[in-house]
Amino acid sequence: MIVHASNMTLEIRGGHQGGMEPWETTAAIRIDPAGFHEVHLTGYSGDDRTLLDASKVAGTLLERFDGASLLQLLNHVAALRDALPK
């Protein structure tokens, strides 16, 4: 059975340090057909009316992570998108 993809969560982690809290920094963004949402603002029903534009998301990520390493990761996501049939 093939189902309709309705959302995804992009989680980025950095600064591996091991132990009880192995990551120094994490960020999670929920993506659905409407756009970007901050994960912690999503209610139990999964509904969140607050959309973030791409520049806001990029700014937040660049406050936490190195831009070059972000581009490396996101290039893999873009390659996956490009591998899907149009």
Side-chain angles (χ1 to χ4, degrees):
M1 169 175 48
I2 296 179
V3 298
H4 183 342
S6 62
N7 70 71
M8 67 181 280
T9 301
L10 175 64
E11 185 175 277
I12 301 172
R13 303 173 184 167
H16 189 264
Q17 55 192 15
M20 295 279 294
E21 297 187 25
W23 298 101
E24 180 180 331
T25 305
T26 63
I29 302 294
R30 190 180 61 123
I31 306 166
D32 66 18
F36 299 101
H37 308 267
E38 288 189 58
V39 168
H40 72 275
L41 296 178
T42 305
Y44 289 110
S45 66
D47 293 332
D48 175 10
R49 304 283 184 231
T50 306
L51 288 175
L52 302 172
D53 66 19
S55 63
K56 168 88 171 150
V57 173
T60 300
L61 293 177
L62 287 172
E63 290 172 3
R64 300 178 189 180
F65 302 100
D66 171 70
S69 63
L70 279 171
L71 283 174
Q72 264 186 320
L73 294 175
L74 293 173
N75 282 339
H76 292 296
V77 175
L80 176 60
R81 179 204 59 212
D82 292 345
L84 293 171
K86 308 301 183 256

